[in-house]
Amino acid sequence: MPTQEKKRLAGKVAIVTGAGSRGDGIGNGRAAAVLMARAGAKVALVDVRRDWAEATAAMIGNESGECVIIEADVADSAACARIVAATVGRWGKLDILVNNVGINGPTGNAVEVDLAEWDRALRINVTSMMLMARYAIPEMRKSGGGAIVNLASVAGLRGGNPNLLYTTSKGAVVQMTRAMAAHHGHDGIRVNCVAPGMVYTPMVYAGGMTPEVRDARRRRSLLQTEGTGWDIGNAVVYLVSDEARWVTGVILPVDAGATAGGGALPERRPVG
């Protein structure tokens, strides 16, 4: 686990959606929630499965952090309103929203994909972020501003994914982030996006992954190293902190350089 974080988020109130993880693993949402609590924020842990969020809450509690679990489905508008109301009702305000919920969705290209599953996955991956922002932004305005971080993927920055839904939905999150930043900058609300690369999280390995596939994923980046949820969480903490006060509309790939180049450079040969 990372070393003790300075209290740079002291006095802040945050919501993290998808704050749980399968078992004891460290997903992006769990890491972001733990690190923000360590930095002094009070954190509402939102997950559709309370048992997944309970492990996150235990980690925060073990470090004397403050949090509350809210079991809810962020694909439902009324549930999103309830999440924000419960958070503000408990702590009096809202400063930070981390939209982390996302699923892999249905497989296949445009010819093959199941249409009902397509609609369901878009609702979870894209519409949920709009709904949470819909209810969070008015509360942030009351406080004079705030910070929103949307979690996308490097798949939303380039093609090549075999499943149309995942790439499409993550690309939508990227553009939604830029649009929200433009819409709400005058309110003092910063909106940024983290685009994770080939991190090794419970969502990735839950379906099973061979050592060969894991190694191949690692080698698809310039640093040739494997990322974890902590790498994503640290990026989120930076973007919601005052250290990023002049940063909005940014799409931040956290991917060991994968979007800058596909692996190690060819060996250089002498000239002449």
Side-chain angles (χ1 to χ4, degrees), residues 68-94:
V68 64
I69 297 172
I70 303 176
E71 185 177 358
D73 179 2
V74 292
D76 178 72
S77 179
C80 294
R82 176 171 61 84
I83 291 164
V84 173
T87 303
V88 174
R90 185 181 183 90
W91 289 311
K93 63 171 184 170
L94 177 62

Side-chain angles (χ1 to χ4, degrees), residues 2-162:
T3 57
Q4 183 69 24
E5 179 69 62
K6 292 181 179 179
K7 303 293 185 181
R8 53 179 166 165
L9 298 182
K12 302 293 187 181
V13 174
I15 293 173
V16 180
T17 69
S21 291
R22 294 170 175 85
D24 295 328
I26 303 298
N28 299 332
R30 175 171 288 172
V34 170
L35 290 172
M36 285 197 295
R38 185 178 295 165
K42 299 177 177 67
V43 187
L45 309 174
V46 179
D47 208 288
V48 72
R49 297 250 324 241
R50 184 179 183 86
D51 57 323
W52 288 359
E54 284 173 348
T56 308
M59 294 177 69
I60 292 173
N62 288 339
E63 297 184 358
S64 301
E66 189 170 350
C67 66
V68 64
I69 297 172
I70 303 176
E71 185 177 358
D73 179 2
V74 292
D76 178 72
S77 179
C80 294
R82 176 171 61 84
I83 291 164
V84 173
T87 303
V88 174
R90 185 181 183 90
W91 289 311
K93 63 171 184 170
L94 177 62
D95 304 294
I96 297 165
L97 170 63
V98 179
N99 277 319
N100 171 67
V101 165
I103 61 174
N104 290 325
T107 60
N109 56 35
V111 177
E112 304 159 344
V113 68
D114 180 279
L115 295 182
E117 286 302 306
W118 171 276
D119 289 343
R120 173 179 173 272
L122 282 179
R123 180 84 182 181
I124 295 170
N125 285 10
V126 183
T127 305
S128 72
M129 296 191 181
M130 177 275 291
L131 290 173
M132 284 302 303
R134 181 185 190 92
Y135 300 108
I137 287 169
E139 296 299 332
M140 291 179 178
R141 285 172 175 157
K142 294 176 185 177
S143 300
I148 298 174
V149 175
N150 299 321
L151 272 289
S153 167
V154 293
L157 302 176
R158 62 186 189 186
N161 190 291

Side-chain angles (χ1 to χ4, degrees), residues 199-201 204-215 217 226:
V199 292
Y200 192 64
T201 65
V204 171
Y205 59 70
M209 180 179 292
T210 67
E212 293 76 16
V213 170
R214 184 176 179 181
D215 186 60
R217 294 175 85 248
E226 184 175 75

